[in-house]
Amino acid sequence: MPTFKIAIVGAGPAGYFTAQAFQNAQTEELTFAIDMIERLPTPWGLVRSGVAPDHPKIKTVSKVFEKIAKVPNFRLFANVELGKDVSLKDLRDQYDAVVLSTGASKGRKLGIPGEELANSLSAADFVPWYNAHPDYVNTEVDLSCDTAVVIGAGNVAMDVARILAIDPTELDPTDVAEHALVKLKQSNIRTVIICGRRGPEHAAFTAPELRDLPKLENTDVYIDVKQVKDATERANIGGEIEKDLKHNLEAMKLIAEHAKKGVNRKLEIKFLSTPIEIKGNKKVEEVEFTINKIEAGKVLPTKDTFTIKTRLVITAIGYDAVEYPGITIENGRINNIAGHIEHNVYTTGWAKRGPTGVIGTNKSDSSDVVDLIIENLKEPKVSEGITTLLKSGHEVIDQLAWEKINASEVISGEIAGKPRVKEVDWKRLISLGRS
Ligand code: NAP
């Protein structure tokens, strides 16, 4: 009975769903030994460091990950970095297939003047900061002004804006980073403005996330009702309107028309606004926008501009995959054809297809790539796998060590009335795993 050795790099949703697809494909004649390699001392990727703390339901997918990890053919090697602790070439030589599920963690740039000013941040730095990612504890976040601007009309922009706009006591029962909660409680921000460059009909928000906005207890949410009405008229030209778009526009209409509470926290979504310059002396002072119009389905700039006075700008305009020696990136994702990179190296998730789709999208996507890998498998290699590759004394966080970290965080959470209290210090995480 041949057992093929599979290395999956990246312990996020794409990595786990890749492992699950291999587990589901096992038969009496075909088995797999799966080693999951992760740079951080903790697994779960964006479920831990991306999903907003006030959306705990989305995080329950971690139960599926833990089930996958309990299958005897699965081993976790966290605290192991590709390119530093193991090379791609070594993995290729030792494993029958290597799958890079390394995500897309580099925030895209606007490419406008002033983007490098202090207090102009990428969501790629801000989101892991409030989610207790060990590498982002020291992100400089200045919440001293009363207005923040978030650029982009996608779900990440919405997460970022909501975290800034809600009453921080609403985050008390969540697993938000302790350092972020302290800072958010001192925040002077009372108005958050999301700016999308195109119309409401082009927004990348999804309807369930939009529908949650009017339910915010301590924040009034505004969208210009005329912008939504015009967008709906434009969308209706040419017959039947596509279902997701219809739901989005209905949800936006609901936001625009729902009775406001008269509270002092405000979240506004502004469309047809392209940022052209971030101005300030060393630090952000204002953002200038061009006002756009839509003609014959095209978004066009007008001569009109407006500025928003602010000392905090966060761009949430998508992500690019990170590079590794031997891997090329094109259009923000690893160069691949249907998940195949070269030889026995493959990719799944955001690294493969770019930063699109929700967590569940990775399930079918990974399954397709695993089918392709299985088709291409020949004779299993005789090799030792990762254990011969790591330097002696290298401290691996395996599944047992991770379970100790997990239990410790959950216990701290129980005491504090939260799902968990995340440890942010890399060394302390490792020592928790050792304890
Ligand atoms: P996204 O959905 O692709 O949205 C990116 C936004 O940035 C778009 O509105 C885009 O506008 C805008 N943008 C891009 N370049 C720009 C520029 N140069 N100037 C101004 N605006 C620009 O990306 P995301 O928000 O990072 O989300 C990534 C994925 O994660 C999405 O699939 C999202 O649904 C998912 N996600 C889901 C949840 C959830 O389910 N709760 C939460 C977070 C993220 P254009 O359309 O005009 O290009």
Side-chain angles (χ1 to χ4, degrees):
M1 182 171 72
T3 296
F4 289 95
K5 287 194 179 63
I6 310 294
I8 299 172
V9 185
Y16 276 101
F17 285 126
T18 303
Q20 189 186 48
F22 277 111
Q23 290 172 346
N24 292 343
Q26 289 204 113
T27 61
E28 282 189 7
E29 286 79 41
L30 178 68
T31 54
F32 302 102
I34 303 161
D35 288 346
M36 181 176 272
I37 295 156
E38 164 61 44
R39 187 180 77 87
L40 287 176
T42 53
W44 301 358
L46 282 185
V47 169
R48 185 175 165 99
S49 65
V51 174
D54 58 340
H55 280 169
K57 251 198 200 155
I58 300 179
K59 298 182 193 222
T60 55
V61 70
S62 57
K63 290 205 175 77
V64 177
F65 301 163
E66 288 305 277
K67 229 172 142 187
I68 294 164
K70 288 284 181 202
V71 177
N73 71 346
F74 178 98
R75 298 191 300 178
L76 176 68
F77 292 84
N79 194 36
V80 175
E81 183 172 347
L82 177 66
K84 183 172 154 235
D85 302 315
V86 286
S87 72
L88 186 57
K89 184 184 174 309
D90 285 343
L91 290 180
R92 270 180 46 183
D93 293 345
Q94 292 287 324
Y95 288 86
D96 295 295
V98 180
V99 186
L100 301 181
S101 309
T102 40
S105 54
K106 258 187 1 196
R108 286 191 183 142
K109 294 273 183 195
L110 286 166
I112 61 171
E115 199 173 7
E116 306 309 324
L117 288 171
N119 300 341
S120 158
L121 296 185
S122 166
D125 296 321
F126 183 67
V127 173
W129 171 75
Y130 67 63
N131 274 327
H133 187 302
D135 292 348
Y136 295 86
V137 182
N138 297 321
T139 300
E140 288 276 331
V141 178
D142 183 344
L143 306 177
S144 62
C145 59
D146 67 353
T147 300
V149 170
V150 180
I151 293 170
N155 284 334
V156 171
M158 199 196 291
D159 282 349
V160 164
R162 217 180 45 253
I163 294 299
L164 289 170
I166 60 176
D167 186 322
T169 56
E170 293 174 55
L171 293 171
D172 279 337
T174 75
D175 65 358
V176 68
E178 295 290 286
H179 59 254
L181 188 56
V182 169
K183 204 118 193 215
L184 287 163
K185 285 191 172 169
Q186 295 160 355
S187 165
N188 288 331
I189 292 172
R190 294 295 176 270
T191 300
V192 181
I193 308 173
I194 296 180
C195 296
R197 61 181 169 179
R198 299 195 284 156
E201 69 271 45
H202 307 117
F205 306 126
T206 47
E209 280 64 32
L210 283 166
R211 282 189 209 112
D212 277 347
L213 292 181
K215 296 180 202 154
L216 294 178
E217 278 179 30
N218 301 297
T219 310
D220 277 328
V221 185
Y222 296 82
I223 300 184
D224 179 355
V225 75
K226 185 170 181 312
Q227 284 196 336
V228 181
K229 203 168 147 262
D230 291 349
T232 310
E233 275 171 20
R234 287 190 297 264
N236 275 311
I237 298 171
E240 186 78 354
I241 176 168
E242 188 259 327
K243 190 177 91 226
D244 287 345
L245 174 56
K246 184 167 175 269
H247 290 162
N248 255 16
L249 290 169
E250 281 168 0
M252 287 189 221
K253 185 166 178 273
L254 207 77
I255 294 171
E257 289 178 345
H258 90 285
K260 305 295 183 262
K261 296 170 279 279
V263 289
N264 70 346
R265 293 178 181 275
K266 190 173 150 189
L267 195 171
E268 185 185 349
I269 306 179
K270 245 178 158 47
F271 291 101
L272 297 170
S273 307
T274 297
I276 49 172
E277 186 171 356
I278 302 174
K279 296 178 180 171
N281 179 14
K282 295 198 176 115
K283 291 181 178 181
V284 173
E285 289 170 23
E286 61 181 34
V287 192
E288 186 175 8
F289 294 85
T290 289
I291 300 176
N292 299 325
K293 61 180 177 183
I294 302 184
E295 270 178 16
K298 283 204 176 124
V299 182
L300 303 167
T302 67
K303 287 196 185 105
D304 298 326
T305 60
F306 70 96
T307 56
I308 301 176
K309 299 258 177 242
T310 178
R311 294 207 301 273
L312 180 66
V313 179
I314 300 185
T315 31
I317 58 167
Y319 298 85
D320 288 338
V322 288
E323 286 169 27
Y324 290 98
I327 293 296
T328 54
I329 307 289
E330 209 176 293
N331 297 325
R333 62 199 138 175
I334 295 178
N335 246 324
N336 73 92
I337 297 172
H340 187 208
I341 302 174
E342 54 165 14
H343 305 289
N344 58 345
V345 187
Y346 298 82
T347 178
T348 58
W350 279 10
K352 171 198 170 231
R353 64 177 192 276
T356 58
V358 292
I359 289 167
T361 314
N362 294 300
K363 199 170 174 174
S364 53
D365 191 52
S366 302
S367 175
D368 290 344
V369 178
V370 168
D371 287 348
L372 175 70
I373 297 171
I374 292 172
E375 258 176 52
N376 292 345
L377 286 173
K378 301 218 162 61
E379 281 300 305
K381 280 184 181 156
V382 180
S383 72
E384 296 294 320
I386 190 168
T387 34
T388 56
L389 301 176
L390 293 171
K391 279 201 193 113
S392 83
H394 183 98
E395 202 145 3
V396 168
I397 298 289
D398 60 10
Q399 182 60 22
L400 190 65
W402 158 239
E403 282 170 15
K404 288 180 189 169
I405 297 171
N406 193 20
S408 160
E409 289 188 343
V410 171
I411 290 167
S412 305
E414 269 167 24
I415 297 163
K418 299 164 187 270
R420 69 175 60 239
V421 175
K422 285 183 200 160
E423 177 54 65
V424 292
D425 183 80
W426 199 297
K427 283 194 183 130
R428 278 204 298 270
L429 279 163
I430 291 175
S431 76
L432 281 177
R434 220 185 275 148
S435 62

